[in-house]
Amino acid sequence: MGIKAYYIMKKANFILGITALSTMPALGQTASSRPNIVYILMDDLGFGDIGCYGQEKIETPHIDQLRQEGMRFTQHYTGSPVSAPARCVLMTGMHSGHAQIRYNNEMAYRGATNDHDSMFVHKELEGQYPLKANTMTIGRMMQNAGYTTGCFGKWGLGFPDSEGTPNKQGFNQFYGYNCQRQAHTYYPAFLYKNEERVYLKNKVINPHLARLGKDEDPHTTKLDAGADPRDEAAYAKFSQKEYANDLIFDELISFVGQNRKKPFFLMWTTPLPHVSLQAPERWVQHYVKKFGDEEPYTGKAGYGICRYPHATYAAMISYFDEQVGKLIQKLKAENLYDNTLIIFTSDNGPTFNGGSDSPWFNSGGWFKSEYGWGKCFLHEGGIRVPAVMVWKDKIKPGSETDHICCFQDVMPTLAEIISVTCPPTDGISFLPTLLGNKAGQKEHEYLYWEYPDPKIGNKAIRMGKWKGIITNIRQGNTEMQLYDLDADLREEHDVAAQHPDIVAKFRQLMEESSTPDPNRVGL
């Protein structure tokens, strides 16, 4: 798409947002027959972090059961290798070359945005770049179609009181973290219920002070001087009272109960298993028994310290899996499960910091997951994510698809499911794939990503079996690597020199696919 055509589309999209486009059900489709939709988005969960994608150390029986009852996607992609831009692509259907938000920019010009004490006092230091007013999000589209909408978990698309908060972007109810930096601890001093702060019985502790804090600083996550890192008692001072994920889940379950008699759209955007490593003790001890003793994490790679990092990472995922099971029980108890589409996925690949150990878990699954290959990078380990979808009597149980699709495809898919006109997007509905109609499925000519990290900078193209990627753009690199994914899933053999025609075509597509970044951090 050229720049002129893109801006014509954006203008149309803006008008649609203002006028709340026509979203009446198709003839013959009643509100009561329209499916509820539950979209579950995990945070930094790798392609290989759950059992049904090959994980052997972490137990995920409830998610694995969803796979048995539905469809497993093997070529589903996120919109970006980090949180905020991935969510922007998902919410708006615009890929990262057209998206409003393309980077986790913390708007540091506001002041001490990384100081949790300051954020506690000054909420204007919270949050990330906001979505623009009247953006046609998935939430707004579903709202206009008569759905009650709720978002529970992490937001990251607009600081408090901005135009980008959930309630101003199509969600009737919100509970969780407005700001991604606040979500770096699971024991925050506050969360948000709609537009208001809800203060918790937790102390303000900055999870990033493990390396920087002084021993006597009560807000540091550093062990006391002389403390033995292997002594569990040394970590007692970090004990807190209210685990955010418990509170978020309670609100989510309440939302389901309150809206059981009308169609609802529920987005569960959990921050799990993003570091810091923090999980309920019963689950941690379960994995301590399973894995045995291990080397403590003392903060060398940022975020909070942890006595049992492997056990805690596994505990975070199994804890969430347990919650998924409880949600399914609730849907069944309310006689909602049979008329509910459930989509389970992750916002990007596995991380490399905070005590996580992606190679030990083989979190990348089929792909590499060490630094440079997972989160923050456009290699397959950073952007190809697990995706399981369940819809009783519509999706064939135990089925699998290799259909190539991405976050921008979710909005047109949901629009087709609920029989409404989809606003302009870069996506293609994958409903035919869900319904087993492979012949009726339209395909992308190609997928495009850009990630303007200020230290790295990446661009990538996927077209059929070919993957072109330019890394380290900020360091002046312009060379494209080319991989044949059919023969080289792990992107270990650069064949760019053998295919100059494909490289030239990909360079042209990269230029055509990118418009100026409205926040001026683009490539």
Side-chain angles (χ1 to χ4, degrees), residues 169-453:
Q169 292 294 341
F171 291 92
N172 297 103
Q173 294 184 40
F174 172 73
Y175 188 90
Y177 297 91
N178 172 288
C179 175
Q180 294 177 164
R181 283 168 281 114
Q182 286 291 319
H184 292 173
T185 174
Y186 293 103
Y187 293 96
F190 58 85
L191 293 170
Y192 276 84
K193 187 166 187 176
N194 297 321
E195 301 280 343
E196 301 298 323
R197 275 189 179 184
V198 177
Y199 290 94
L200 309 182
K201 298 174 184 177
N202 294 329
K203 298 173 289 186
V204 177
I205 293 182
N206 187 338
H208 297 289
L209 288 178
R211 292 178 295 172
L212 306 176
K214 298 178 180 179
D215 296 336
E216 65 274 13
D217 185 346
H219 294 175
T220 187
T221 52
K222 188 176 180 181
L223 288 175
D224 291 337
D228 179 1
R230 289 185 173 274
D231 181 3
E232 290 187 31
Y235 299 80
K237 72 174 186 176
F238 306 120
S239 178
Q240 297 268 52
K241 294 183 178 179
E242 293 187 282
Y243 190 56
N245 297 303
D246 289 339
L247 305 176
I248 291 167
F249 184 71
D250 289 345
E251 291 285 334
L252 177 153
I253 289 295
S254 178
F255 174 86
V256 171
Q258 291 168 4
N259 295 285
R260 62 187 181 277
K261 295 184 178 180
K262 50 189 174 182
F264 61 79
F265 173 55
L266 166 61
M267 293 200 74
W268 188 3
T269 57
T270 180
L272 291 163
H274 191 297
V275 291
S276 296
L277 296 171
Q278 297 166 323
E281 187 63 17
R282 62 184 175 85
W283 271 113
V284 173
Q285 290 304 316
H286 172 81
Y287 281 106
V288 169
K289 293 177 182 177
K290 184 173 182 176
F291 298 157
D293 197 13
E294 56 177 301
E295 190 70 24
Y297 172 66
T298 56
K300 293 181 180 180
Y303 299 89
I305 64 175
C306 182
R307 172 60 187 89
Y308 300 106
H310 288 159
T312 303
Y313 183 78
M316 293 163 77
I317 294 174
S318 288
Y319 161 85
F320 186 75
D321 176 81
E322 180 180 51
Q323 287 189 323
V324 169
K326 291 179 179 178
L327 173 59
I328 300 306
Q329 288 180 347
K330 176 67 172 178
L331 292 171
K332 290 181 176 179
E334 300 288 358
N335 294 317
L336 299 171
Y337 184 76
D338 290 357
N339 192 37
T340 298
L341 167 64
I342 300 172
I343 299 175
F344 170 89
T345 189
S346 174
D347 68 344
N348 49 250
T351 195
F352 49 82
N353 54 15
S356 64
D357 191 351
S358 296
W360 191 82
F361 284 104
N362 192 30
S363 292
W366 300 347
F367 316 109
K368 295 182 181 181
S369 58
E370 57 267 31
Y371 179 78
W373 295 91
K375 180 179 179 177
C376 295
F377 293 86
L378 294 176
H379 286 292
E380 294 295 285
I383 55 175
R384 202 186 295 200
V385 291
V388 173
M389 306 188 192
V390 178
W391 190 7
K392 186 175 174 58
D393 297 330
K394 300 291 194 302
I395 297 175
K396 182 180 178 181
S399 56
E400 179 168 299
T401 179
D402 60 0
H403 173 61
I404 300 171
C405 53
C406 196
F407 273 17
Q408 60 261 32
D409 299 326
V410 175
M411 181 182 276
T413 301
L414 299 189
E416 187 173 6
I417 287 171
I418 64 173
S419 302
V420 300
T421 303
C422 186
T425 70
D426 292 318
I428 296 173
S429 169
F430 52 77
L431 179 60
T433 291
L434 294 180
L435 301 180
N437 180 18
K438 189 172 183 178
Q441 179 63 63
K442 295 180 180 179
E443 304 286 345
H444 285 279
E445 178 188 359
Y446 66 93
L447 293 176
Y448 171 76
W449 298 265
E450 64 182 57
Y451 177 55
D453 182 284

